Amino acid sequence: MNDRQIDERRGALYLSSDRGRLDLDAVLAMLHDSHWGGGVTRDVLERAVENSLCLGVYHGDRQVAFARAVTDLATYAYLTDVIVAQDARGQGIGSWMVDALLRHPDLQGLRRIALLTRDARTLYEKFGFTTDPPRSTYMELRKAI
Ligand SMILES: CC(C)(COP(=O)(O)OP(=O)(O)OC[C@H]1O[C@@H](n2cnc3c(N)ncnc32)[C@H](O)[C@@H]1OP(=O)(O)O)[C@@H](O)C(=O)NCCC(=O)NCCS
């Protein structure tokens, strides 16, 4: 563990930013169950994990949640793949991960933290995320993959 890693316990649950602890098969299974991650391959997930700041939440040996921030560690972060296993939802794990990412020592002082969500707005609004920032228009270049 290094100083900039997050390791926290809540009852039987353990949250960690240690990439080495991630169970990529469990993450892939959760993503394949989501409305956005059905097409993610193991190779793509491995590259994404390697190049993101990642969090896992564990119940014993079982990984029950995952989230990551794509970031330059200086000005910007994009939170994505925030997901909790179906049978572990509604216990505050999603909120814990968002809170932990926002507290992470490597994500302090950024100018902008962004995310896209279809139906989990209330989760993020609790932490101050808003829609429609003034004087800006969201644009994207979409690629079919
Ligand atoms: C969204 C998700 C990560 C929340 O995780 P969770 O551990 O169940 O969330 P929490 O128990 O911390 O609840 C957080 C808040 O978000 C709300 N919330 C959770 N899931 C929600 C959903 N799908 N739609 C609307 N609100 C939701 C809860 O009501 C709760 O509000 P409260 O604190 O006022 O009661 C989880 O439901 C999930 O994995 N969903 C499928 C994947 C997904 O949609 N991820 C978000 C991508 S942006």
Coordinates of all heavy atoms in Angstrom, one line a residue, residues 41-105:
T41 N -14.7 -5.9 -23.7 CA -13.9 -7.1 -23.7 C -12.9 -7.1 -22.5 O -12.6 -6.0 -22.0 CB -13.2 -7.3 -25.0 OG1 -12.2 -6.2 -25.1 CG2 -14.1 -7.3 -26.2
R42 N -12.4 -8.2 -22.2 CA -11.4 -8.3 -21.1 C -10.2 -7.4 -21.5 O -9.6 -6.8 -20.6 CB -11.0 -9.7 -20.9 CG -10.0 -9.8 -19.8 CD -10.0 -11.2 -19.1 NE -9.0 -11.0 -18.1 CZ -9.2 -11.2 -16.8 NH1 -10.3 -11.6 -16.4 NH2 -8.2 -11.1 -16.0
D43 N -9.8 -7.5 -22.7 CA -8.6 -6.7 -23.1 C -8.8 -5.2 -23.0 O -8.0 -4.5 -22.4 CB -8.3 -7.0 -24.6 CG -7.2 -6.1 -25.2 OD1 -6.1 -6.2 -24.6 OD2 -7.5 -5.4 -26.2
V44 N -10.0 -4.7 -23.4 CA -10.4 -3.3 -23.2 C -10.4 -3.0 -21.7 O -9.9 -1.9 -21.3 CB -11.7 -3.0 -23.9 CG1 -12.2 -1.6 -23.5 CG2 -11.5 -3.0 -25.4
L45 N -11.0 -3.8 -20.9 CA -11.1 -3.6 -19.5 C -9.7 -3.5 -18.8 O -9.4 -2.6 -18.0 CB -12.0 -4.6 -18.8 CG -12.1 -4.5 -17.3 CD1 -12.8 -3.2 -16.9 CD2 -12.9 -5.7 -16.7
E46 N -8.8 -4.4 -19.2 CA -7.5 -4.4 -18.7 C -6.8 -3.1 -19.0 O -6.1 -2.5 -18.1 CB -6.7 -5.6 -19.3 CG -6.9 -6.9 -18.5 CD -6.2 -8.1 -19.2 OE1 -5.3 -7.8 -20.1 OE2 -6.6 -9.2 -18.9
R47 N -6.9 -2.6 -20.2 CA -6.3 -1.3 -20.6 C -6.9 -0.2 -19.8 O -6.2 0.7 -19.4 CB -6.4 -1.1 -22.1 CG -5.2 -1.7 -22.9 CD -5.2 -1.2 -24.3 NE -6.2 -2.0 -25.0 CZ -6.9 -1.5 -26.0 NH1 -6.8 -0.2 -26.4 NH2 -7.8 -2.2 -26.6
A48 N -8.2 -0.2 -19.7 CA -8.9 0.9 -19.0 C -8.5 0.9 -17.5 O -8.2 2.0 -17.0 CB -10.4 0.7 -19.1
V49 N -8.4 -0.2 -16.9 CA -8.0 -0.3 -15.5 C -6.6 0.2 -15.3 O -6.3 0.9 -14.4 CB -8.2 -1.8 -15.0 CG1 -7.4 -2.0 -13.7 CG2 -9.7 -2.0 -14.8
E50 N -5.7 -0.2 -16.2 CA -4.3 0.1 -16.1 C -4.1 1.7 -16.2 O -3.2 2.2 -15.6 CB -3.6 -0.5 -17.3 CG -2.1 -0.8 -17.1 CD -1.6 -1.6 -18.3 OE1 -2.2 -2.7 -18.5 OE2 -0.7 -1.1 -19.0
N51 N -5.0 2.3 -16.9 CA -4.9 3.7 -17.2 C -5.9 4.6 -16.5 O -6.1 5.8 -16.9 CB -4.9 4.0 -18.7 CG -3.7 3.4 -19.4 OD1 -2.6 3.8 -19.2 ND2 -3.9 2.3 -20.1
S52 N -6.5 4.1 -15.4 CA -7.5 4.8 -14.7 C -7.2 4.7 -13.2 O -6.5 3.8 -12.8 CB -8.9 4.3 -14.8 OG -9.3 4.1 -16.2
L53 N -7.8 5.6 -12.4 CA -7.7 5.4 -11.0 C -9.0 4.6 -10.6 O -10.1 5.0 -10.9 CB -7.8 6.8 -10.4 CG -7.4 7.0 -8.9 CD1 -7.0 8.4 -8.7 CD2 -8.6 6.6 -8.1
C54 N -8.8 3.4 -10.1 CA -9.9 2.5 -9.9 C -10.2 2.2 -8.4 O -9.3 2.3 -7.6 CB -9.5 1.1 -10.5 SG -9.2 1.2 -12.3
L55 N -11.4 1.9 -8.2 CA -11.9 1.5 -6.8 C -12.6 0.1 -6.9 O -13.4 -0.1 -7.8 CB -12.8 2.5 -6.2 CG -12.4 3.8 -5.7 CD1 -13.6 4.5 -5.0 CD2 -11.2 3.7 -4.7
G56 N -12.4 -0.7 -5.9 CA -13.2 -1.9 -5.8 C -13.7 -2.0 -4.4 O -13.1 -1.4 -3.4
V57 N -14.9 -2.6 -4.2 CA -15.5 -2.8 -2.9 C -15.6 -4.3 -2.8 O -16.1 -5.0 -3.7 CB -16.8 -2.1 -2.7 CG1 -17.4 -2.5 -1.3 CG2 -16.6 -0.6 -2.7
Y58 N -15.2 -4.9 -1.7 CA -15.1 -6.3 -1.5 C -15.9 -6.7 -0.2 O -15.9 -6.1 0.8 CB -13.7 -6.8 -1.3 CG -12.8 -6.3 -2.4 CD1 -12.2 -5.0 -2.4 CD2 -12.6 -7.0 -3.6 CE1 -11.5 -4.5 -3.5 CE2 -11.9 -6.5 -4.7 CZ -11.3 -5.3 -4.6 OH -10.6 -4.8 -5.7
H59 N -16.6 -7.9 -0.4 CA -17.2 -8.5 0.8 C -16.5 -9.8 0.9 O -16.7 -10.8 0.1 CB -18.7 -8.7 0.5 CG -19.4 -9.3 1.7 ND1 -20.5 -10.1 1.6 CD2 -19.2 -9.1 3.0 CE1 -20.9 -10.4 2.8 NE2 -20.2 -9.8 3.7
G60 N -15.6 -9.9 1.9 CA -14.7 -11.1 1.9 C -13.9 -11.1 0.7 O -13.3 -10.1 0.2
D61 N -13.8 -12.2 0.0 CA -13.1 -12.4 -1.2 C -13.8 -11.9 -2.5 O -13.3 -11.9 -3.6 CB -12.7 -13.9 -1.4 CG -11.6 -14.3 -0.5 OD1 -10.9 -13.4 0.0 OD2 -11.4 -15.5 -0.3
R62 N -15.1 -11.6 -2.3 CA -15.9 -11.3 -3.5 C -15.9 -9.8 -3.7 O -16.3 -9.0 -2.9 CB -17.4 -11.8 -3.2 CG -18.3 -11.5 -4.3 CD -19.7 -11.8 -4.0 NE -20.6 -11.3 -5.0 CZ -21.8 -10.8 -4.8 NH1 -22.4 -10.8 -3.6 NH2 -22.5 -10.4 -5.9
Q63 N -15.6 -9.5 -5.0 CA -15.8 -8.0 -5.4 C -17.2 -7.7 -5.7 O -17.8 -8.4 -6.6 CB -14.9 -7.7 -6.6 CG -15.0 -6.2 -6.9 CD -13.9 -5.7 -7.9 OE1 -13.0 -6.5 -8.3 NE2 -14.0 -4.5 -8.3
V64 N -17.8 -6.7 -5.0 CA -19.2 -6.4 -5.2 C -19.4 -5.1 -5.9 O -20.6 -4.7 -6.1 CB -20.0 -6.5 -3.8 CG1 -20.0 -7.9 -3.3 CG2 -19.4 -5.5 -2.8
A65 N -18.4 -4.3 -6.1 CA -18.6 -3.0 -6.8 C -17.3 -2.5 -7.4 O -16.2 -3.0 -7.0 CB -19.1 -2.0 -5.8
F66 N -17.5 -1.6 -8.3 CA -16.3 -1.1 -9.1 C -16.6 0.3 -9.5 O -17.8 0.7 -9.8 CB -16.1 -2.0 -10.3 CG -15.0 -1.5 -11.2 CD1 -13.6 -1.6 -10.9 CD2 -15.3 -0.9 -12.5 CE1 -12.6 -1.1 -11.7 CE2 -14.3 -0.4 -13.3 CZ -12.9 -0.6 -12.9
A67 N -15.6 1.2 -9.6 CA -15.8 2.5 -10.2 C -14.4 2.9 -10.6 O -13.4 2.5 -10.1 CB -16.3 3.5 -9.1
R68 N -14.3 3.8 -11.6 CA -13.0 4.3 -12.0 C -13.1 5.8 -12.4 O -14.2 6.2 -12.8 CB -12.4 3.5 -13.0 CG -13.0 3.5 -14.4 CD -12.4 2.4 -15.3 NE -13.1 2.4 -16.6 CZ -12.8 3.1 -17.7 NH1 -11.7 3.8 -17.7 NH2 -13.5 3.0 -18.8
A69 N -12.0 6.5 -12.3 CA -11.9 7.8 -12.8 C -10.8 7.9 -13.9 O -9.7 7.4 -13.7 CB -11.5 8.8 -11.6
V70 N -11.2 8.4 -15.0 CA -10.2 8.7 -16.1 C -9.7 10.1 -15.9 O -10.5 11.0 -15.9 CB -10.9 8.5 -17.5 CG1 -9.9 8.8 -18.6 CG2 -11.6 7.2 -17.6
T71 N -8.4 10.2 -15.7 CA -8.0 11.5 -15.2 C -6.5 11.9 -15.6 O -5.7 10.9 -15.8 CB -8.1 11.6 -13.7 OG1 -7.6 12.8 -13.2 CG2 -7.3 10.5 -13.0
D72 N -6.2 13.2 -15.7 CA -4.9 13.6 -15.9 C -4.2 13.9 -14.5 O -3.0 14.3 -14.5 CB -4.8 14.8 -16.8 CG -5.5 16.0 -16.2 OD1 -6.0 16.0 -15.1 OD2 -5.6 17.1 -17.0
L73 N -4.9 13.7 -13.5 CA -4.4 13.9 -12.1 C -4.0 15.3 -11.8 O -3.3 15.6 -10.8 CB -3.2 13.0 -11.8 CG -3.5 11.5 -11.9 CD1 -2.2 10.7 -11.7 CD2 -4.5 11.0 -11.0
A74 N -4.4 16.2 -12.7 CA -4.1 17.7 -12.5 C -5.2 18.6 -12.7 O -5.4 19.5 -11.8 CB -3.0 18.0 -13.5
T75 N -6.1 18.4 -13.7 CA -7.1 19.3 -14.0 C -8.5 18.7 -14.2 O -9.5 19.4 -14.0 CB -6.8 20.1 -15.3 OG1 -6.8 19.2 -16.4 CG2 -5.5 20.8 -15.2
Y76 N -8.5 17.4 -14.5 CA -9.8 16.9 -15.0 C -9.9 15.4 -14.6 O -9.0 14.7 -14.6 CB -9.9 17.0 -16.5 CG -11.1 16.5 -17.2 CD1 -12.3 17.2 -17.2 CD2 -11.1 15.2 -17.7 CE1 -13.5 16.7 -17.8 CE2 -12.3 14.7 -18.3 CZ -13.4 15.4 -18.3 OH -14.6 14.9 -18.9
A77 N -11.2 15.0 -14.3 CA -11.5 13.6 -14.1 C -12.8 13.3 -14.7 O -13.8 14.1 -14.6 CB -11.4 13.2 -12.6
Y78 N -13.0 12.1 -15.2 CA -14.3 11.6 -15.7 C -14.6 10.3 -15.0 O -13.9 9.4 -15.1 CB -14.2 11.4 -17.2 CG -15.4 10.8 -17.8 CD1 -16.6 11.4 -17.9 CD2 -15.3 9.5 -18.3 CE1 -17.7 10.8 -18.5 CE2 -16.4 8.9 -18.9 CZ -17.6 9.6 -19.0 OH -18.7 9.0 -19.5
L79 N -15.7 10.4 -14.2 CA -16.0 9.2 -13.4 C -16.9 8.3 -14.3 O -17.8 8.7 -15.0 CB -16.9 9.5 -12.2 CG -16.3 10.6 -11.2 CD1 -17.2 10.6 -10.0 CD2 -14.9 10.3 -10.9
T80 N -16.5 7.0 -14.4 CA -17.2 6.1 -15.2 C -17.2 4.6 -14.7 O -16.5 4.4 -13.7 CB -16.6 6.1 -16.7 OG1 -17.5 5.4 -17.6 CG2 -15.2 5.5 -16.7
D81 N -18.0 3.8 -15.3 CA -18.2 2.4 -14.9 C -18.4 2.3 -13.4 O -17.9 1.4 -12.7 CB -16.9 1.6 -15.3 CG -16.8 1.4 -16.8 OD1 -17.8 1.6 -17.5 OD2 -15.6 1.2 -17.2
V82 N -19.3 3.2 -12.9 CA -19.7 3.1 -11.4 C -20.8 2.0 -11.4 O -21.9 2.2 -11.9 CB -20.2 4.5 -11.0 CG1 -20.7 4.4 -9.5 CG2 -19.2 5.5 -11.1
I83 N -20.4 0.9 -10.7 CA -21.4 -0.2 -10.7 C -21.3 -1.0 -9.4 O -20.2 -1.3 -8.9 CB -21.3 -1.1 -12.0 CG1 -22.4 -2.0 -12.1 CG2 -19.9 -1.8 -12.0 CD1 -22.8 -2.3 -13.5
V84 N -22.5 -1.4 -9.0 CA -22.6 -2.3 -7.8 C -23.4 -3.5 -8.2 O -24.3 -3.5 -8.9 CB -23.4 -1.5 -6.7 CG1 -23.6 -2.4 -5.4 CG2 -22.7 -0.2 -6.3
A85 N -22.9 -4.7 -7.7 CA -23.6 -5.9 -8.0 C -25.0 -5.9 -7.6 O -25.3 -5.3 -6.6 CB -22.9 -7.1 -7.3
Q86 N -25.9 -6.4 -8.4 CA -27.4 -6.3 -8.2 C -27.7 -6.6 -6.7 O -28.5 -5.8 -6.1 CB -28.1 -7.2 -9.1 CG -28.0 -6.8 -10.5 CD -29.3 -6.9 -11.3 OE1 -30.4 -6.9 -10.7 NE2 -29.3 -7.0 -12.6
D87 N -27.2 -7.7 -6.2 CA -27.6 -8.1 -4.8 C -27.0 -7.2 -3.7 O -27.2 -7.5 -2.5 CB -27.4 -9.6 -4.6 CG -25.9 -9.9 -4.7 OD1 -25.1 -9.1 -5.1 OD2 -25.6 -11.1 -4.3
A88 N -26.1 -6.3 -4.1 CA -25.5 -5.4 -3.1 C -25.9 -4.0 -3.1 O -25.4 -3.1 -2.4 CB -23.9 -5.5 -3.2
R89 N -26.9 -3.7 -4.0 CA -27.3 -2.3 -4.2 C -28.2 -1.9 -3.0 O -28.8 -2.7 -2.2 CB -28.1 -2.2 -5.5 CG -27.2 -2.3 -6.7 CD -28.0 -2.2 -8.0 NE -27.0 -2.6 -9.0 CZ -27.4 -2.9 -10.3 NH1 -28.6 -2.8 -10.7 NH2 -26.4 -3.3 -11.1
G90 N -28.3 -0.5 -2.8 CA -29.2 0.0 -1.8 C -28.6 0.0 -0.4 O -29.3 0.2 0.6
Q91 N -27.3 -0.3 -0.3 CA -26.7 -0.3 1.1 C -25.7 0.8 1.2 O -24.8 0.8 2.1 CB -25.9 -1.6 1.3 CG -26.6 -2.9 1.1 CD -25.6 -4.0 1.2 OE1 -24.7 -4.0 1.9 NE2 -25.9 -5.0 0.4
G92 N -25.6 1.8 0.3 CA -24.7 2.9 0.4 C -23.4 2.7 -0.3 O -22.5 3.5 -0.2
I93 N -23.2 1.5 -1.0 CA -21.9 1.3 -1.6 C -21.6 2.2 -2.7 O -20.4 2.7 -2.9 CB -21.8 -0.2 -2.1 CG1 -21.9 -1.2 -0.9 CG2 -20.5 -0.4 -2.9 CD1 -22.0 -2.6 -1.3
G94 N -22.6 2.5 -3.6 CA -22.4 3.5 -4.7 C -21.9 4.8 -4.1 O -21.0 5.4 -4.6
S95 N -22.6 5.3 -3.1 CA -22.3 6.6 -2.5 C -20.9 6.6 -1.9 O -20.2 7.5 -2.0 CB -23.3 6.9 -1.4 OG -24.6 6.9 -1.8
W96 N -20.6 5.5 -1.3 CA -19.2 5.3 -0.7 C -18.2 5.5 -1.7 O -17.2 6.2 -1.5 CB -19.2 4.0 0.0 CG -18.0 3.7 0.9 CD1 -17.0 4.6 1.3 CD2 -17.6 2.4 1.4 NE1 -16.1 4.0 2.1 CE2 -16.4 2.6 2.1 CE3 -18.1 1.1 1.3 CZ2 -15.7 1.6 2.7 CZ3 -17.4 0.1 1.9 CH2 -16.2 0.3 2.6
M97 N -18.3 4.8 -2.9 CA -17.3 4.9 -3.9 C -17.2 6.3 -4.5 O -16.1 6.8 -4.7 CB -17.7 3.9 -5.1 CG -17.5 2.4 -4.7 SD -17.5 1.3 -6.1 CE -19.1 1.6 -6.8
V98 N -18.3 7.0 -4.7 CA -18.3 8.3 -5.3 C -17.6 9.2 -4.3 O -16.7 10.0 -4.6 CB -19.7 8.9 -5.6 CG1 -19.6 10.3 -6.1 CG2 -20.3 8.0 -6.7
D99 N -18.0 9.1 -3.0 CA -17.3 9.9 -1.9 C -15.8 9.6 -1.9 O -15.0 10.6 -1.8 CB -18.0 9.6 -0.6 CG -17.6 10.4 0.5 OD1 -17.5 11.7 0.3 OD2 -17.3 9.9 1.6
A100 N -15.5 8.4 -1.9 CA -14.0 8.0 -1.8 C -13.3 8.6 -3.0 O -12.1 9.1 -2.9 CB -13.9 6.5 -1.8
L101 N -13.8 8.5 -4.2 CA -13.1 9.1 -5.4 C -13.0 10.6 -5.2 O -11.9 11.1 -5.5 CB -13.9 8.8 -6.7 CG -13.8 7.4 -7.2 CD1 -14.7 7.2 -8.4 CD2 -12.3 7.1 -7.7
L102 N -14.0 11.3 -4.7 CA -13.9 12.7 -4.6 C -12.9 13.1 -3.4 O -12.4 14.2 -3.5 CB -15.3 13.3 -4.3 CG -16.3 13.2 -5.4 CD1 -17.7 13.8 -5.0 CD2 -15.8 13.8 -6.7
R103 N -12.7 12.2 -2.5 CA -11.7 12.4 -1.4 C -10.3 12.0 -1.8 O -9.4 12.2 -1.0 CB -12.2 11.7 -0.1 CG -13.3 12.3 0.6 CD -13.6 11.6 1.9 NE -14.2 10.3 1.8 CZ -13.7 9.2 2.0 NH1 -12.4 9.1 2.3 NH2 -14.3 8.0 1.9
H104 N -10.2 11.2 -2.9 CA -8.9 10.6 -3.2 C -7.8 11.7 -3.3 O -8.0 12.7 -4.0 CB -9.0 9.8 -4.5 CG -7.8 8.9 -4.7 ND1 -6.5 9.4 -5.0 CD2 -7.7 7.6 -4.6 CE1 -5.7 8.4 -5.1 NE2 -6.4 7.3 -4.8
P105 N -6.7 11.5 -2.6 CA -5.6 12.5 -2.7 C -5.1 12.9 -4.1 O -4.7 14.0 -4.3 CB -4.4 11.9 -1.9 CG -4.9 10.5 -1.5 CD -6.3 10.3 -1.8

